[in-house]
């Protein structure tokens, strides 16, 4: 948590340095010593930001791996304590899906949790800094930020919905696959290969349909995340130019 705080702090020092460097470049009486001092500060900030960001990511990855592996081992021990064939609640396909998908998501939980905590810290700093530099014009960029956030929430809900449906279809496909493997001799004796192949292929097509929808929504979400910073800058400086005439 401390490493993430330091990473966020050094990241937010970047726009402050840009402001002071811009003021220095506009000044007619430039001092070479101050210029080299700014250069050294920029290099130091970039170095420490990269350093703390790398260590923060490494620490969170280790913590997420410990959480994910602990849950996976607990599920395996729980599954081995009773026969899967006698378990009417969870089938082998559902257990495999939990191990492969849900446990893997816990790898990103520490990083995402920390990002949510420091999100408000970064937002407050950005609002205060922008209001001091360009005045009320920052409200246009803030409005674009709110609109982009609402759009991303909209995309996230659809992505979560498609992920739930994908998990359900994956479980159904795994159930059919287990039925085929458990009764492969009976299926071959009765020449039912084509029937079960078509049945499995139909479930696979349903699963791929949800995969396609999920990736389309995630692509739109990624495009929105990429476009939002550009739109914020355009809205902010366009409002500043129109209101001040500078």
């Amino acid at each position: 948590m401390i490493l993430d705080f330091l990473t966020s702090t050094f990241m937010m020092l970047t726009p402050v340095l840009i402001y002071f460097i811009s003021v220095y470049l506009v000044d007619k009486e430039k001092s070479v010593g101050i210029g080299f001092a700014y250069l050294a500060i920029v290099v130091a900030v970039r170095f420490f930001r990269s350093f703390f960001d790398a260590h923060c990511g490494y620490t969170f990855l280790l913590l997420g791996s410990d959480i994910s592996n602990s849950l996976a081992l607990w599920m395996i021990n729980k599954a081995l304590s009773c026969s899967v064939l006698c378990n009417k609640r969870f089938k082998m396909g559902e257990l495999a899906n939990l191990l492969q998908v849900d446990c893997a998501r816990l790898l990103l939980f520490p990083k995402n949790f920390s990002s949510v905590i420091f999100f408000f810290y970064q937002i407050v700093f950005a609002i205060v800094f922008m209001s001091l530099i360009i005045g009320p014009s920052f409200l246009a960029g803030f409005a674009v930020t709110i609109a982009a956030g609402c759009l991303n929430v909209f995309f996230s809900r659809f992505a979560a919905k498609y992920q739930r449906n994908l998990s359900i279809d994956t479980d159904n496909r795994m159930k059919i696959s287990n039925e085929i493997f458990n009764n492969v001799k009976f299926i071959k004796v009765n020449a039912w290969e084509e029937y079960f192949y078509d049945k499995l292929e139909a479930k696979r097509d349903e699963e791929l349909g949800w995969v396609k929808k999920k990736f389309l929504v995630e692509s739109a979400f990624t495009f929105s995340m990429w476009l939002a910073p550009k739109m914020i800058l355009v809205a902010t400086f366009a409002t500043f130019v129109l209101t001040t005439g500078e």
Side-chain angles (χ1 to χ4, degrees):
M1 198 67 70
I2 297 176
L3 290 175
D4 205 9
F5 172 77
L6 293 174
T7 302
S8 300
T9 302
F10 278 103
M11 180 182 66
M12 291 184 294
L13 283 176
T14 302
V16 178
L17 285 174
I18 293 174
Y19 170 73
F20 283 109
I21 292 173
S22 301
V23 173
Y24 168 76
L25 292 175
V26 173
D27 190 8
K28 295 182 180 180
E29 298 180 358
K30 300 181 179 66
S31 174
V32 178
I34 295 177
F36 279 109
Y38 279 133
L39 179 61
I41 292 173
V42 169
V43 173
V45 168
R46 293 292 297 177
F47 171 78
F48 283 110
R49 177 186 172 183
S50 301
F51 176 80
F52 287 123
D53 185 48
H55 279 270
C56 182
Y58 175 72
T59 304
F60 283 139
L61 183 61
L62 288 181
L63 181 59
S65 299
D66 291 338
I67 296 174
S68 177
N69 293 335
S70 298
L71 181 59
L73 289 174
W74 179 82
M75 291 177 61
I76 292 174
N77 291 330
K78 188 70 174 178
L80 292 176
S81 63
C82 59
S83 175
V84 180
L85 298 176
C86 299
N87 191 349
K88 301 299 182 181
R89 184 178 179 183
F90 296 106
K91 301 299 182 181
M92 181 61 71
E94 295 175 348
L95 292 176
N97 188 48
L98 288 173
L99 289 172
Q100 295 175 0
V101 179
D102 296 335
C103 290
R105 289 182 181 177
L106 292 176
L107 288 171
L108 302 177
F109 173 75
K111 179 62 177 177
N112 294 336
F113 181 74
S114 179
S115 299
V116 170
I117 293 177
F118 289 105
F119 171 77
F120 300 99
Y121 170 55
Q122 297 173 1
I123 286 294
V124 171
F125 174 83
I127 291 174
V128 173
F129 180 72
M130 293 294 289
S131 62
L132 293 175
I133 298 301
I134 60 175
S137 300
F138 86 96
L139 293 175
F142 186 69
V144 175
T145 303
I146 297 298
C150 295
L151 186 63
N152 290 336
V153 169
F154 176 76
F155 287 141
S156 299
R157 289 188 175 181
F158 272 97
K161 175 184 176 182
Y162 294 154
Q163 179 60 46
R164 287 194 299 269
N165 294 331
L166 175 62
S167 299
I168 293 173
D169 284 340
T170 301
D171 293 337
N172 293 332
R173 180 179 61 81
M174 291 298 296
K175 290 178 182 178
I176 296 177
S177 299
N178 291 327
E179 290 179 3
I180 293 174
F181 286 124
N182 292 332
N183 301 281
V184 62
K185 293 182 179 179
F186 181 77
I187 293 172
K188 293 183 73 66
V189 166
N190 292 276
W192 288 349
E193 294 92 341
E194 291 295 331
Y195 171 77
F196 280 96
Y197 174 80
D198 294 338
K199 189 176 181 180
L200 183 61
E201 191 69 18
K203 292 296 181 182
R204 182 59 177 168
D205 290 338
E206 294 178 4
E207 184 182 5
L208 290 177
W210 290 117
V211 170
K212 180 180 178 181
K213 292 180 180 179
K214 177 190 173 186
F215 277 103
L216 285 175
V217 172
E218 289 181 349
S219 299
F221 177 81
T222 303
F223 177 75
S224 175
M225 291 290 291
W226 172 82
L227 185 64
K230 283 76 175 176
M231 295 301 299
I232 293 170
L233 290 176
V234 170
T236 301
F237 289 107
T239 305
F240 179 79
V241 171
L242 292 175
T243 54
T244 62
E246 297 182 5

Short mmCIF file of all heavy atoms in Angstrom, two decimals, residues 154-176:
data_model
loop_
_atom_site.label_atom_id
_atom_site.label_comp_id
_atom_site.label_asym_id
_atom_site.label_seq_id
_atom_site.Cartn_x
_atom_site.Cartn_y
_atom_site.Cartn_z
N PHE A 154 -21.21 1.54 -17.92
CA PHE A 154 -22.17 0.89 -18.82
C PHE A 154 -21.53 -0.30 -19.53
O PHE A 154 -22.10 -1.41 -19.57
CB PHE A 154 -22.67 1.92 -19.84
CG PHE A 154 -23.59 1.36 -20.88
CD1 PHE A 154 -24.91 1.08 -20.58
CD2 PHE A 154 -23.14 1.13 -22.17
CE1 PHE A 154 -25.77 0.56 -21.54
CE2 PHE A 154 -23.98 0.61 -23.14
CZ PHE A 154 -25.30 0.33 -22.82
N PHE A 155 -20.33 -0.11 -20.06
CA PHE A 155 -19.63 -1.21 -20.72
C PHE A 155 -19.26 -2.32 -19.73
O PHE A 155 -19.32 -3.51 -20.06
CB PHE A 155 -18.38 -0.69 -21.41
CG PHE A 155 -18.65 0.11 -22.65
CD1 PHE A 155 -17.89 1.24 -22.95
CD2 PHE A 155 -19.66 -0.24 -23.53
CE1 PHE A 155 -18.13 1.98 -24.10
CE2 PHE A 155 -19.91 0.49 -24.68
CZ PHE A 155 -19.15 1.62 -24.95
N SER A 156 -18.87 -1.94 -18.54
CA SER A 156 -18.47 -2.93 -17.53
C SER A 156 -19.64 -3.83 -17.14
O SER A 156 -19.45 -5.03 -16.91
CB SER A 156 -17.91 -2.23 -16.30
OG SER A 156 -16.77 -1.47 -16.63
N ARG A 157 -20.80 -3.26 -17.03
CA ARG A 157 -21.97 -4.08 -16.67
C ARG A 157 -22.28 -5.10 -17.75
O ARG A 157 -22.59 -6.26 -17.44
CB ARG A 157 -23.18 -3.17 -16.43
CG ARG A 157 -23.08 -2.34 -15.16
CD ARG A 157 -24.36 -1.62 -14.86
NE ARG A 157 -24.30 -0.93 -13.57
CZ ARG A 157 -25.30 -0.23 -13.05
NH1 ARG A 157 -26.45 -0.13 -13.71
NH2 ARG A 157 -25.16 0.35 -11.87
N PHE A 158 -22.19 -4.67 -19.01
CA PHE A 158 -22.42 -5.63 -20.08
C PHE A 158 -21.33 -6.70 -20.10
O PHE A 158 -21.61 -7.88 -20.34
CB PHE A 158 -22.46 -4.91 -21.43
CG PHE A 158 -23.83 -4.43 -21.81
CD1 PHE A 158 -24.21 -3.13 -21.56
CD2 PHE A 158 -24.75 -5.28 -22.39
CE1 PHE A 158 -25.48 -2.67 -21.89
CE2 PHE A 158 -26.01 -4.85 -22.74
CZ PHE A 158 -26.38 -3.54 -22.49
N ALA A 159 -20.09 -6.30 -19.85
CA ALA A 159 -18.99 -7.28 -19.82
C ALA A 159 -19.19 -8.29 -18.69
O ALA A 159 -18.95 -9.49 -18.87
CB ALA A 159 -17.66 -6.55 -19.65
N ALA A 160 -19.65 -7.81 -17.52
CA ALA A 160 -19.91 -8.73 -16.40
C ALA A 160 -21.06 -9.68 -16.73
O ALA A 160 -21.01 -10.87 -16.39
CB ALA A 160 -20.22 -7.93 -15.14
N LYS A 161 -22.08 -9.16 -17.38
CA LYS A 161 -23.21 -10.00 -17.78
C LYS A 161 -22.78 -11.08 -18.75
O LYS A 161 -23.12 -12.27 -18.61
CB LYS A 161 -24.31 -9.13 -18.40
CG LYS A 161 -25.49 -9.92 -18.95
CD LYS A 161 -26.48 -9.00 -19.63
CE LYS A 161 -27.61 -9.79 -20.27
NZ LYS A 161 -28.56 -8.89 -20.98
N TYR A 162 -21.99 -10.69 -19.75
CA TYR A 162 -21.52 -11.66 -20.74
C TYR A 162 -20.57 -12.68 -20.10
O TYR A 162 -20.56 -13.85 -20.49
CB TYR A 162 -20.83 -10.95 -21.89
CG TYR A 162 -21.75 -10.08 -22.72
CD1 TYR A 162 -21.27 -8.98 -23.43
CD2 TYR A 162 -23.11 -10.37 -22.79
CE1 TYR A 162 -22.12 -8.20 -24.18
CE2 TYR A 162 -23.97 -9.58 -23.54
CZ TYR A 162 -23.47 -8.49 -24.23
OH TYR A 162 -24.31 -7.70 -24.98
N GLN A 163 -19.78 -12.24 -19.12
CA GLN A 163 -18.88 -13.17 -18.45
C GLN A 163 -19.66 -14.21 -17.65
O GLN A 163 -19.28 -15.40 -17.63
CB GLN A 163 -17.93 -12.40 -17.52
CG GLN A 163 -16.96 -13.28 -16.76
CD GLN A 163 -16.06 -14.07 -17.67
OE1 GLN A 163 -15.51 -13.52 -18.62
NE2 GLN A 163 -15.87 -15.35 -17.40
N ARG A 164 -20.74 -13.79 -16.99
CA ARG A 164 -21.57 -14.76 -16.26
C ARG A 164 -22.18 -15.78 -17.21
O ARG A 164 -22.17 -16.99 -16.93
CB ARG A 164 -22.67 -14.02 -15.49
CG ARG A 164 -22.18 -13.27 -14.27
CD ARG A 164 -23.34 -12.85 -13.39
NE ARG A 164 -24.25 -11.96 -14.09
CZ ARG A 164 -24.16 -10.64 -14.07
NH1 ARG A 164 -23.17 -10.05 -13.41
NH2 ARG A 164 -25.04 -9.88 -14.72
N ASN A 165 -22.73 -15.31 -18.32
CA ASN A 165 -23.31 -16.24 -19.29
C ASN A 165 -22.25 -17.15 -19.91
O ASN A 165 -22.51 -18.33 -20.17
CB ASN A 165 -24.02 -15.45 -20.40
CG ASN A 165 -25.23 -14.70 -19.89
OD1 ASN A 165 -25.88 -15.13 -18.92
ND2 ASN A 165 -25.56 -13.59 -20.51
N LEU A 166 -21.05 -16.60 -20.12
CA LEU A 166 -19.96 -17.41 -20.65
C LEU A 166 -19.57 -18.50 -19.66
O LEU A 166 -19.32 -19.65 -20.06
CB LEU A 166 -18.76 -16.52 -20.96
CG LEU A 166 -17.48 -17.22 -21.41
CD1 LEU A 166 -17.70 -17.98 -22.71
CD2 LEU A 166 -16.35 -16.20 -21.58
N SER A 167 -19.53 -18.18 -18.38
CA SER A 167 -19.20 -19.18 -17.36
C SER A 167 -20.24 -20.29 -17.32
O SER A 167 -19.91 -21.47 -17.17
CB SER A 167 -19.08 -18.51 -16.00
OG SER A 167 -18.05 -17.54 -15.99
N ILE A 168 -21.51 -19.91 -17.45
CA ILE A 168 -22.58 -20.91 -17.44
C ILE A 168 -22.45 -21.85 -18.64
O ILE A 168 -22.55 -23.08 -18.51
CB ILE A 168 -23.96 -20.21 -17.43
CG1 ILE A 168 -24.17 -19.47 -16.11
CG2 ILE A 168 -25.08 -21.24 -17.64
CD1 ILE A 168 -25.41 -18.63 -16.08
N ASP A 169 -22.22 -21.27 -19.82
CA ASP A 169 -22.07 -22.11 -21.02
C ASP A 169 -20.80 -22.96 -20.96
O ASP A 169 -20.79 -24.08 -21.47
CB ASP A 169 -22.06 -21.23 -22.27
CG ASP A 169 -23.45 -20.74 -22.64
OD1 ASP A 169 -24.43 -21.36 -22.17
OD2 ASP A 169 -23.56 -19.74 -23.36
N THR A 170 -19.75 -22.41 -20.36
CA THR A 170 -18.53 -23.21 -20.19
C THR A 170 -18.78 -24.41 -19.28
O THR A 170 -18.31 -25.52 -19.54
CB THR A 170 -17.40 -22.34 -19.62
OG1 THR A 170 -17.15 -21.24 -20.50
CG2 THR A 170 -16.12 -23.15 -19.46
N ASP A 171 -19.53 -24.18 -18.20
CA ASP A 171 -19.89 -25.29 -17.30
C ASP A 171 -20.71 -26.34 -18.03
O ASP A 171 -20.47 -27.55 -17.87
CB ASP A 171 -20.67 -24.76 -16.10
CG ASP A 171 -19.82 -23.89 -15.20
OD1 ASP A 171 -18.59 -24.05 -15.23
OD2 ASP A 171 -20.38 -23.07 -14.45
N ASN A 172 -21.67 -25.90 -18.84
CA ASN A 172 -22.50 -26.86 -19.57
C ASN A 172 -21.67 -27.66 -20.58
O ASN A 172 -21.86 -28.87 -20.75
CB ASN A 172 -23.62 -26.12 -20.31
CG ASN A 172 -24.61 -25.49 -19.35
OD1 ASN A 172 -24.81 -25.98 -18.23
ND2 ASN A 172 -25.25 -24.40 -19.76
N ARG A 173 -20.72 -26.99 -21.22
CA ARG A 173 -19.87 -27.70 -22.17
C ARG A 173 -18.97 -28.70 -21.46
O ARG A 173 -18.75 -29.83 -21.94
CB ARG A 173 -19.01 -26.70 -22.96
CG ARG A 173 -18.08 -27.35 -23.97
CD ARG A 173 -17.30 -26.30 -24.73
NE ARG A 173 -16.47 -25.50 -23.85
CZ ARG A 173 -15.28 -25.88 -23.39
NH1 ARG A 173 -14.77 -27.06 -23.73
NH2 ARG A 173 -14.58 -25.08 -22.60
N MET A 174 -18.45 -28.33 -20.30
CA MET A 174 -17.61 -29.23 -19.54
C MET A 174 -18.40 -30.44 -19.03
O MET A 174 -17.87 -31.57 -18.97
CB MET A 174 -16.96 -28.49 -18.38
CG MET A 174 -15.92 -27.46 -18.79
SD MET A 174 -14.51 -28.17 -19.65
CE MET A 174 -13.81 -29.19 -18.36
N LYS A 175 -19.66 -30.22 -18.67
CA LYS A 175 -20.49 -31.35 -18.24
C LYS A 175 -20.67 -32.36 -19.36
O LYS A 175 -20.55 -33.58 -19.15
CB LYS A 175 -21.85 -30.83 -17.78
CG LYS A 175 -21.84 -30.05 -16.47
CD LYS A 175 -23.21 -29.54 -16.13
CE LYS A 175 -23.20 -28.72 -14.84
NZ LYS A 175 -24.53 -28.17 -14.51
N ILE A 176 -20.97 -31.85 -20.57
CA ILE A 176 -21.14 -32.75 -21.71
C ILE A 176 -19.82 -33.45 -22.03
O ILE A 176 -19.80 -34.66 -22.35
CB ILE A 176 -21.66 -31.96 -22.92
CG1 ILE A 176 -23.05 -31.42 -22.63
CG2 ILE A 176 -21.69 -32.84 -24.16
CD1 ILE A 176 -23.61 -30.56 -23.74
#
